[in-house]
């Protein structure tokens, strides 16, 4: 029995999976009155991920970068349903999805099905571990709010444990060794934030451990931030040196235990050497892997057989080999990097596409209606024929929707001690810059990109609060 959701039988049901960058950009621009819109996501808020690394140290409070999906949907012209649930299976044949409430509190019904006419998959990705033993059990990821909270708690736990009476120096060094694996932007930004936290707050409040605090960034490739220009990679690496963040490149982690990692270092002469690195806190940021739901859908579609990194989509973001299924963001492979910038442009594109599809249907039925009146009202035929012609013109315009085209606005990353790096598109060229001025640009760019004015005010207040009073070192 479906006692909450009464779809209008004249409209198609559009089901949107996820409340991340891709899905929310779609919902923002979608004319919801054209469809029965159903949103399914285990997370009842949108998360502004670019500022997540700042939440790990309390520079920004996590609720400042969350926007409730209920708030987002409330501002829409026609209401849309939201179910807090995970989609566990997509039955592409029957056009239904299976959803499951995996939160702590469950009602009598916690597993059910939702039928769809059109489906958008925007479920993002999981953290890649490459099957390396011990990663899941011993490290923190940095993808969701709960990850940032766990890191914030663990940093202070390490500090307080290191300060425990009679702790041996070797153990203090281990506890104060913060290791970050993955030199992509997530790892780099987190390492920078962590160093700031230590330099600006922890060092003053817990001076006895000051000499032991150390941050190490471990990267398998020869350099960090591969998506940035050589000049900015060098700038980041030299800034990290000044900040006393050690970068270990050409170092591939192979095994993780609760107290140390084992990594293979490739020496300049090509020789490989295994090393053991003790740590107190380990943050794992080695990029994306496929979600089980995405793997499951891909396994149902023969055309997805050769796709490895996600759902292969065509230039209209239609999942190759599937009927009425589109994909956006990190779970889709459209030939772009898995970034928020790409996901949000894809979401906005799909909104235009669906708005146009609805308009097309409305215009087509208007033409049909006019044509039938033409037969019964021959007296008005000239007028009706004119209207048909103008509607057909409109229809051609609406139908002529260009394929998705990504427009890259640039890459930005915070690297600590009030410095940032930016590769931005500028007057048909590229502008690479790094330093304090870029940091101000980074701050204003991210502030302006925050989801709502409320988020903007909260983030700005958090920055002021942290500057004036310092970050809160209480361990929750
Ligand atoms: P997500 O935003 O991850 O959203 C996925 C949604 O799907 C979530 O709501 C999730 O709860 C939901 N979901 C998951 N499983 C299911 C399921 N089974 N059923 C239904 N719903 C499900 N990119 C940039 O361009 N610039 C940046 O500065 C930047 N900074 C980043 C910082 C960090 C720390 C991280 C982790 C990423 C950053 N990114 C940045 C990358 C960016 O966040 C991602 O590319 C972006 O979130 C992808 O959007 P998405 O909609 O595909 O997925
Ligand atoms: P990433 O994929 O960009 O980087 C992961 C890094 O981990 C790689 O450099 C890889 O060589 C390294 N690695 C993998 N396995 C390893 C191992 N066993 N040992 C050592 N190193 C290993 O991942 P990310 O930084 O999480 O970013 C994910 C996506 O989100 C990217 O598309 C990125 O551009 C985007 N993002 C952007 C920003 C920004 O623009 N400021 C911030 C965060 C994330």
């Amino acid at each position: 029995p479906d006692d909450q959701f009464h779809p209008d039988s004249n409209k198609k049901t559009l089901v949107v999976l996820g409340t991340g960058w891709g899905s929310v950009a779609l919902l923002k621009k979608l004319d919801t009155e054209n469809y029965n819109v159903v949103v399914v996501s285990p997370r009842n808020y949108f998360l502004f991920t670019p500022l997540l690394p700042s939440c790990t140290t309390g520079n920004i409070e996590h609720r400042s970068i969350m926007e409730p999906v209920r708030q987002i949907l409330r501002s829409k012209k026609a209401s849309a349903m939201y179910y807090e649930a995970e989609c566990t299976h997509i039955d592409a044949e029957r056009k239904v999805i299976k959803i499951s409430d995996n939160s702590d509190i469950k009602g009598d019904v916690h597993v059910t099905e939702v039928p769809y006419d059109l489906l958008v998959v925007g479920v993002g990705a999981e953290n890649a571990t490459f099957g390396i033993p011990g990663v899941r059990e011993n490290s923190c990821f940095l993808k969701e709010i709960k990850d940032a909270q766990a890191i914030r708690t663990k940093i202070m736990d390490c500090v307080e444990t290191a300060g425990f009476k009679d702790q041996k120096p070797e153990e203090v060094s281990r506890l104060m060794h913060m290791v970050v694996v993955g030199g992509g932007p997530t790892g780099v930004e987190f390492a920078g934030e962590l160093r700031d936290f230590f330099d600006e707050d922890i060092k003053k409040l817990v001076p006895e451990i000051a000499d032991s605090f150390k941050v190490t960034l471990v990267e398998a490739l020869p350099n960090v931030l591969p998506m940035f220009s050589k000049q900015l990679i060098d700038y980041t690496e030299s800034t990290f040196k000044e900040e006393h963040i050690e970068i270990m490149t050409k170092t591939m982690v192979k095994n993780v235990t609760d107290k140390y990692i084992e990594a293979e270092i490739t020496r300049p002469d090509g020789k490989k050497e295994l090393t053991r690195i003790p740590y107190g806190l380990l943050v794992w940021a080695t990029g994306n892997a496929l979600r089980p739901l995405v793997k499951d859908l891909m396994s149902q579609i023969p055309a997805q057989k050769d796709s490895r990194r996600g759902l292969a989509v065509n230039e209209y973001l239609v999942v190759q080999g599937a009927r009425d299924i589109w994909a956006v963001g990190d779970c889709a492979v459209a030939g772009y990097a898995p970034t928020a910038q790409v996901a949000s442009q894809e979401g906005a594109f799909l909104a235009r596409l669906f708005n146009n599809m609805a308009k097309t249907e409305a215009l087509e039925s208007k033409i049909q209606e006019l044509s039938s009146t033409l037969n019964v009202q021959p007296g008005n035929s000239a007028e009706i024929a004119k209207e048909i012609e103008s509607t057909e013109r409109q229809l051609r315009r609406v139908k002529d929707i260009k394929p998705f085209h990504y427009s890259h606005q640039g890459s930005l990353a915070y690297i600590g001690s009030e410095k940032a790096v930016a590769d931005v598109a500028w007057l048909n060229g590229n502008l690479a810059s790094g330093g304090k001025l870029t940091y101000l640009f980074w701050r204003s760019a991210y502030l302006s990109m925050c989801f709502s004015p409320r988020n903007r005010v909260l983030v700005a207040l958090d920055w002021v609060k942290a500057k004036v009073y310092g970050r809160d070192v209480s361990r929750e």
Side-chain angles (χ1 to χ4, degrees):
D2 194 349
D3 50 2
Q4 293 172 46
F5 176 47
H6 300 288
D8 177 343
S9 55
N10 294 318
K11 294 179 187 173
K12 286 186 172 159
T13 297
L14 167 61
V15 174
V16 180
L17 303 183
T19 45
W21 278 97
S23 301
V24 164
L26 157 67
L27 292 169
K28 229 173 151 180
K29 292 232 157 79
L30 183 74
D31 295 337
T32 44
E33 61 273 31
N34 294 328
Y35 298 96
N36 299 306
V37 179
V38 182
V39 182
V40 173
S41 175
R43 202 174 78 186
N44 79 346
Y45 56 88
F46 166 74
L47 173 63
F48 186 75
T49 46
L51 289 177
L52 191 62
S54 303
C55 295
T56 59
T57 61
N59 202 18
I60 288 177
E61 291 297 337
H62 61 272
R63 285 198 176 263
S64 305
I65 57 166
M66 293 158 69
E67 184 70 11
V69 65
R70 301 284 182 182
Q71 195 72 32
I72 297 169
L73 295 179
R74 206 182 69 144
S75 63
K76 300 306 296 182
K77 253 197 204 150
S79 66
M81 277 310 296
Y82 167 69
Y83 297 124
E84 190 192 77
E86 202 172 297
C87 171
T88 52
H89 179 65
I90 297 167
D91 188 332
E93 268 307 300
R94 285 171 55 227
K95 295 181 82 169
V96 292
I97 61 164
K98 203 173 194 180
I99 66 168
S100 169
D101 176 1
N102 290 343
S103 64
D104 288 345
I105 296 176
K106 293 182 182 61
D108 289 341
V109 179
H110 55 90
V111 176
T112 187
E113 286 186 343
V114 181
Y116 67 83
D117 296 305
L118 314 168
L119 176 69
V120 176
V121 186
V123 296
E126 278 198 348
N127 296 290
T129 65
F130 307 103
I132 297 169
V135 175
R136 280 195 192 283
E137 299 83 336
N138 300 301
S139 58
C140 296
F141 296 118
L142 182 48
K143 197 164 186 67
E144 299 290 345
I145 284 293
K146 65 171 180 14
D147 300 329
Q149 286 171 308
I151 293 174
R152 192 175 171 183
T153 302
K154 277 198 172 179
I155 296 170
M156 285 320 295
D157 201 356
C158 285
V159 170
E160 299 298 0
T161 307
F164 192 74
K165 188 169 175 300
D166 300 334
Q167 203 71 269
K168 297 275 180 300
E170 199 181 321
E171 184 65 348
V172 172
S173 299
R174 177 184 76 79
L175 289 162
M176 285 294 84
H177 193 196
M178 314 273 149
V179 174
V180 185
V181 180
T186 303
V188 165
E189 290 193 322
F190 170 67
E193 292 277 358
L194 185 56
R195 191 71 224 185
D196 287 356
F197 186 23
F198 175 74
D199 288 338
E200 291 164 21
D201 299 297
I202 300 177
K203 197 162 76 175
K204 290 181 204 148
L205 296 166
V206 201
E208 59 273 25
I209 51 95
D211 293 340
S212 315
F213 188 86
K214 189 175 166 198
V215 181
T216 301
L217 183 65
V218 181
E219 167 57 54
L221 297 175
N223 57 266
V224 298
L225 294 181
M227 67 290 290
F228 281 85
S229 61
K230 171 88 176 70
Q231 176 200 344
L232 292 180
I233 290 172
D234 292 345
Y235 181 75
T236 305
E237 293 186 347
S238 68
T239 304
F240 269 23
K241 212 172 196 170
E242 283 165 25
E243 290 171 9
H244 304 290
I245 297 173
E246 188 184 347
I247 301 182
M248 294 177 74
T249 50
K250 296 191 185 171
T251 306
M252 167 94 77
V253 178
K254 298 272 184 181
N255 185 36
V256 174
T257 74
D258 59 345
K259 292 198 171 138
Y260 59 85
I261 57 173
E262 283 176 319
E264 189 181 76
I265 303 179
T266 307
R267 296 285 174 211
D269 60 5
K271 279 209 184 98
K272 293 194 189 311
E273 191 183 290
L274 207 62
T275 181
R276 224 175 232 201
I277 308 168
Y279 69 84
L281 172 77
L282 177 65
V283 171
W284 193 266
T286 62
N288 292 345
L290 296 184
R291 287 207 189 273
L293 176 75
V294 173
K295 275 192 213 159
D296 174 52
L297 178 60
M298 287 167 70
S299 71
Q300 293 175 47
I301 307 170
Q304 296 286 332
K305 191 170 71 44
D306 297 325
S307 186
R308 292 280 163 270
R309 294 171 149 243
L311 291 159
V313 293
N314 71 10
E315 71 274 31
Y316 289 90
L317 308 181
V318 175
V319 173
Q320 307 264 23
R323 203 163 34 98
D324 299 325
I325 307 180
W326 288 258
V328 287
D330 286 2
C331 66
V333 179
Y336 309 106
T339 65
Q341 226 182 118
V342 170
S344 62
Q345 288 184 29
E346 288 177 344
F349 170 83
L350 276 196
R352 277 198 305 279
L353 189 82
F354 292 134
N355 292 344
N356 275 21
M357 274 161 59
K359 268 188 218 145
T360 304
E361 276 183 25
L363 290 172
E364 277 172 352
S365 57
K366 188 176 168 191
I367 292 169
Q368 226 167 26
E369 220 171 89
L370 286 169
S371 310
S372 54
T373 47
L374 197 59
N375 300 332
V376 288
Q377 298 174 17
N380 292 337
S381 63
E383 227 168 85
I384 296 171
K386 224 170 153 186
E387 205 174 339
I388 291 179
E389 210 176 291
S390 102
T391 315
E392 276 175 345
R393 260 201 312 274
Q394 258 183 29
L395 181 63
R396 274 196 297 277
R397 260 201 315 275
V398 168
K399 267 188 157 176
D400 180 30
I401 185 161
K402 304 271 180 298
F404 173 70
H405 171 74
Y406 169 62
S407 142
H408 186 61
Q409 304 297 304
S411 307
L412 261 176
Y414 180 61
I415 58 171
S417 60
E418 302 196 341
K419 288 178 184 163
V421 286
D423 258 330
V424 284
W426 184 263
L427 302 174
N428 294 334
N430 248 15
L431 184 73
S433 77
K436 299 250 180 207
L437 215 57
T438 316
Y439 165 69
L440 292 177
F441 173 66
W442 173 85
R443 274 207 160 178
S444 50
Y446 280 12
L447 203 57
S448 73
M449 280 189 272
C450 278
F451 187 85
S452 63
R454 186 185 70 93
N455 288 148
R456 227 162 278 147
V457 169
L458 293 178
V459 166
L461 285 177
D462 287 344
W463 278 335
V464 173
K465 217 167 63 183
K467 194 87 196 156
V468 176
Y469 299 110
R471 298 165 185 81
D472 186 345
V473 298
S474 328
R475 183 171 74 82
E476 282 174 287

PDB file of all heavy atoms in Angstrom, residues 62-77:
ATOM      1  N   HIS A  62      30.767  21.488  11.112  1.00  0.00           N
ATOM      2  CA  HIS A  62      30.233  20.706   9.987  1.00  0.00           C
ATOM      3  C   HIS A  62      28.844  21.140   9.530  1.00  0.00           C
ATOM      4  O   HIS A  62      28.538  21.104   8.347  1.00  0.00           O
ATOM      5  CB  HIS A  62      30.277  19.216  10.308  1.00  0.00           C
ATOM      6  CG  HIS A  62      29.482  18.813  11.493  1.00  0.00           C
ATOM      7  ND1 HIS A  62      29.984  18.818  12.763  1.00  0.00           N
ATOM      8  CD2 HIS A  62      28.201  18.407  11.581  1.00  0.00           C
ATOM      9  CE1 HIS A  62      29.040  18.422  13.599  1.00  0.00           C
ATOM     10  NE2 HIS A  62      27.952  18.169  12.906  1.00  0.00           N
ATOM     11  N   ARG A  63      27.993  21.608  10.469  1.00  0.00           N
ATOM     12  CA  ARG A  63      26.631  21.952  10.038  1.00  0.00           C
ATOM     13  C   ARG A  63      26.597  23.184   9.134  1.00  0.00           C
ATOM     14  O   ARG A  63      25.606  23.411   8.433  1.00  0.00           O
ATOM     15  CB  ARG A  63      25.722  22.139  11.251  1.00  0.00           C
ATOM     16  CG  ARG A  63      25.359  20.794  11.855  1.00  0.00           C
ATOM     17  CD  ARG A  63      24.161  20.839  12.751  1.00  0.00           C
ATOM     18  NE  ARG A  63      23.827  19.502  13.220  1.00  0.00           N
ATOM     19  CZ  ARG A  63      22.892  18.728  12.657  1.00  0.00           C
ATOM     20  NH1 ARG A  63      22.191  19.148  11.638  1.00  0.00           N
ATOM     21  NH2 ARG A  63      22.663  17.525  13.130  1.00  0.00           N
ATOM     22  N   SER A  64      27.695  23.926   9.137  1.00  0.00           N
ATOM     23  CA  SER A  64      27.737  25.126   8.292  1.00  0.00           C
ATOM     24  C   SER A  64      27.800  24.773   6.801  1.00  0.00           C
ATOM     25  O   SER A  64      27.499  25.597   5.948  1.00  0.00           O
ATOM     26  CB  SER A  64      28.958  25.972   8.631  1.00  0.00           C
ATOM     27  OG  SER A  64      28.967  26.264   9.997  1.00  0.00           O
ATOM     28  N   ILE A  65      28.240  23.542   6.488  1.00  0.00           N
ATOM     29  CA  ILE A  65      28.363  23.179   5.067  1.00  0.00           C
ATOM     30  C   ILE A  65      27.333  22.110   4.668  1.00  0.00           C
ATOM     31  O   ILE A  65      27.471  21.434   3.664  1.00  0.00           O
ATOM     32  CB  ILE A  65      29.797  22.735   4.696  1.00  0.00           C
ATOM     33  CG1 ILE A  65      30.269  21.557   5.565  1.00  0.00           C
ATOM     34  CG2 ILE A  65      30.772  23.889   4.820  1.00  0.00           C
ATOM     35  CD1 ILE A  65      31.509  20.873   5.012  1.00  0.00           C
ATOM     36  N   MET A  66      26.298  21.966   5.504  1.00  0.00           N
ATOM     37  CA  MET A  66      25.212  21.026   5.176  1.00  0.00           C
ATOM     38  C   MET A  66      23.959  21.821   4.845  1.00  0.00           C
ATOM     39  O   MET A  66      23.695  22.833   5.491  1.00  0.00           O
ATOM     40  CB  MET A  66      24.902  20.135   6.385  1.00  0.00           C
ATOM     41  CG  MET A  66      26.005  19.187   6.749  1.00  0.00           C
ATOM     42  SD  MET A  66      25.921  18.630   8.480  1.00  0.00           S
ATOM     43  CE  MET A  66      24.462  17.622   8.466  1.00  0.00           C
ATOM     44  N   GLU A  67      23.207  21.365   3.862  1.00  0.00           N
ATOM     45  CA  GLU A  67      21.926  22.012   3.556  1.00  0.00           C
ATOM     46  C   GLU A  67      20.866  20.911   3.484  1.00  0.00           C
ATOM     47  O   GLU A  67      20.986  19.988   2.665  1.00  0.00           O
ATOM     48  CB  GLU A  67      22.023  22.752   2.205  1.00  0.00           C
ATOM     49  CG  GLU A  67      20.798  23.528   1.819  1.00  0.00           C
ATOM     50  CD  GLU A  67      20.532  24.777   2.668  1.00  0.00           C
ATOM     51  OE1 GLU A  67      21.409  25.181   3.459  1.00  0.00           O
ATOM     52  OE2 GLU A  67      19.442  25.345   2.538  1.00  0.00           O
ATOM     53  N   PRO A  68      19.836  20.971   4.350  1.00  0.00           N
ATOM     54  CA  PRO A  68      18.834  19.895   4.362  1.00  0.00           C
ATOM     55  C   PRO A  68      18.123  19.762   3.017  1.00  0.00           C
ATOM     56  O   PRO A  68      17.740  20.776   2.422  1.00  0.00           O
ATOM     57  CB  PRO A  68      17.834  20.330   5.433  1.00  0.00           C
ATOM     58  CG  PRO A  68      18.529  21.380   6.225  1.00  0.00           C
ATOM     59  CD  PRO A  68      19.544  22.000   5.339  1.00  0.00           C
ATOM     60  N   VAL A  69      17.967  18.534   2.570  1.00  0.00           N
ATOM     61  CA  VAL A  69      17.295  18.332   1.275  1.00  0.00           C
ATOM     62  C   VAL A  69      15.836  18.791   1.367  1.00  0.00           C
ATOM     63  O   VAL A  69      15.260  19.277   0.392  1.00  0.00           O
ATOM     64  CB  VAL A  69      17.430  16.871   0.794  1.00  0.00           C
ATOM     65  CG1 VAL A  69      16.716  15.899   1.691  1.00  0.00           C
ATOM     66  CG2 VAL A  69      16.907  16.724  -0.617  1.00  0.00           C
ATOM     67  N   ARG A  70      15.252  18.698   2.568  1.00  0.00           N
ATOM     68  CA  ARG A  70      13.860  19.154   2.753  1.00  0.00           C
ATOM     69  C   ARG A  70      13.754  20.644   2.436  1.00  0.00           C
ATOM     70  O   ARG A  70      12.763  21.097   1.872  1.00  0.00           O
ATOM     71  CB  ARG A  70      13.416  18.915   4.199  1.00  0.00           C
ATOM     72  CG  ARG A  70      13.484  17.469   4.634  1.00  0.00           C
ATOM     73  CD  ARG A  70      12.332  16.699   4.053  1.00  0.00           C
ATOM     74  NE  ARG A  70      12.315  15.310   4.468  1.00  0.00           N
ATOM     75  CZ  ARG A  70      11.414  14.447   4.041  1.00  0.00           C
ATOM     76  NH1 ARG A  70      10.492  14.806   3.172  1.00  0.00           N
ATOM     77  NH2 ARG A  70      11.443  13.205   4.443  1.00  0.00           N
ATOM     78  N   GLN A  71      14.777  21.386   2.840  1.00  0.00           N
ATOM     79  CA  GLN A  71      14.813  22.834   2.580  1.00  0.00           C
ATOM     80  C   GLN A  71      14.928  23.082   1.071  1.00  0.00           C
ATOM     81  O   GLN A  71      14.272  23.959   0.526  1.00  0.00           O
ATOM     82  CB  GLN A  71      16.048  23.392   3.300  1.00  0.00           C
ATOM     83  CG  GLN A  71      16.088  24.881   3.457  1.00  0.00           C
ATOM     84  CD  GLN A  71      15.084  25.362   4.491  1.00  0.00           C
ATOM     85  OE1 GLN A  71      14.804  24.663   5.440  1.00  0.00           O
ATOM     86  NE2 GLN A  71      14.517  26.525   4.258  1.00  0.00           N
ATOM     87  N   ILE A  72      15.771  22.273   0.429  1.00  0.00           N
ATOM     88  CA  ILE A  72      15.993  22.441  -1.018  1.00  0.00           C
ATOM     89  C   ILE A  72      14.680  22.156  -1.765  1.00  0.00           C
ATOM     90  O   ILE A  72      14.286  22.904  -2.662  1.00  0.00           O
ATOM     91  CB  ILE A  72      17.125  21.496  -1.507  1.00  0.00           C
ATOM     92  CG1 ILE A  72      18.445  21.852  -0.821  1.00  0.00           C
ATOM     93  CG2 ILE A  72      17.268  21.548  -3.024  1.00  0.00           C
ATOM     94  CD1 ILE A  72      19.564  20.844  -1.024  1.00  0.00           C
ATOM     95  N   LEU A  73      13.992  21.091  -1.355  1.00  0.00           N
ATOM     96  CA  LEU A  73      12.769  20.699  -2.069  1.00  0.00           C
ATOM     97  C   LEU A  73      11.607  21.656  -1.774  1.00  0.00           C
ATOM     98  O   LEU A  73      10.724  21.847  -2.598  1.00  0.00           O
ATOM     99  CB  LEU A  73      12.381  19.259  -1.721  1.00  0.00           C
ATOM    100  CG  LEU A  73      13.380  18.193  -2.190  1.00  0.00           C
ATOM    101  CD1 LEU A  73      12.910  16.800  -1.783  1.00  0.00           C
ATOM    102  CD2 LEU A  73      13.571  18.247  -3.712  1.00  0.00           C
ATOM    103  N   ARG A  74      11.636  22.245  -0.592  1.00  0.00           N
ATOM    104  CA  ARG A  74      10.546  23.149  -0.208  1.00  0.00           C
ATOM    105  C   ARG A  74      10.470  24.363  -1.139  1.00  0.00           C
ATOM    106  O   ARG A  74       9.418  24.930  -1.376  1.00  0.00           O
ATOM    107  CB  ARG A  74      10.757  23.619   1.231  1.00  0.00           C
ATOM    108  CG  ARG A  74       9.468  24.015   1.911  1.00  0.00           C
ATOM    109  CD  ARG A  74       9.776  24.495   3.282  1.00  0.00           C
ATOM    110  NE  ARG A  74      10.490  25.771   3.215  1.00  0.00           N
ATOM    111  CZ  ARG A  74      10.319  26.741   4.092  1.00  0.00           C
ATOM    112  NH1 ARG A  74       9.496  26.574   5.083  1.00  0.00           N
ATOM    113  NH2 ARG A  74      11.005  27.859   3.985  1.00  0.00           N
ATOM    114  N   SER A  75      11.631  24.741  -1.666  1.00  0.00           N
ATOM    115  CA  SER A  75      11.643  25.945  -2.503  1.00  0.00           C
ATOM    116  C   SER A  75      11.173  25.652  -3.942  1.00  0.00           C
ATOM    117  O   SER A  75      11.125  26.551  -4.778  1.00  0.00           O
ATOM    118  CB  SER A  75      13.043  26.537  -2.529  1.00  0.00           C
ATOM    119  OG  SER A  75      13.901  25.596  -3.132  1.00  0.00           O
ATOM    120  N   LYS A  76      10.833  24.399  -4.228  1.00  0.00           N
ATOM    121  CA  LYS A  76      10.408  24.066  -5.590  1.00  0.00           C
ATOM    122  C   LYS A  76       8.935  24.410  -5.792  1.00  0.00           C
ATOM    123  O   LYS A  76       8.144  24.388  -4.844  1.00  0.00           O
ATOM    124  CB  LYS A  76      10.610  22.570  -5.873  1.00  0.00           C
ATOM    125  CG  LYS A  76      12.028  22.070  -5.760  1.00  0.00           C
ATOM    126  CD  LYS A  76      13.027  22.811  -6.589  1.00  0.00           C
ATOM    127  CE  LYS A  76      12.819  22.715  -8.077  1.00  0.00           C
ATOM    128  NZ  LYS A  76      13.876  23.443  -8.812  1.00  0.00           N
ATOM    129  N   LYS A  77       8.568  24.690  -7.045  1.00  0.00           N
ATOM    130  CA  LYS A  77       7.187  25.078  -7.360  1.00  0.00           C
ATOM    131  C   LYS A  77       6.193  23.968  -7.011  1.00  0.00           C
ATOM    132  O   LYS A  77       5.192  24.185  -6.354  1.00  0.00           O
ATOM    133  CB  LYS A  77       7.096  25.370  -8.863  1.00  0.00           C
ATOM    134  CG  LYS A  77       6.972  26.846  -9.157  1.00  0.00           C
ATOM    135  CD  LYS A  77       6.479  27.008 -10.566  1.00  0.00           C
ATOM    136  CE  LYS A  77       6.891  28.362 -11.107  1.00  0.00           C
ATOM    137  NZ  LYS A  77       7.086  28.337 -12.539  1.00  0.00           N
TER     138      LYS A  77
END
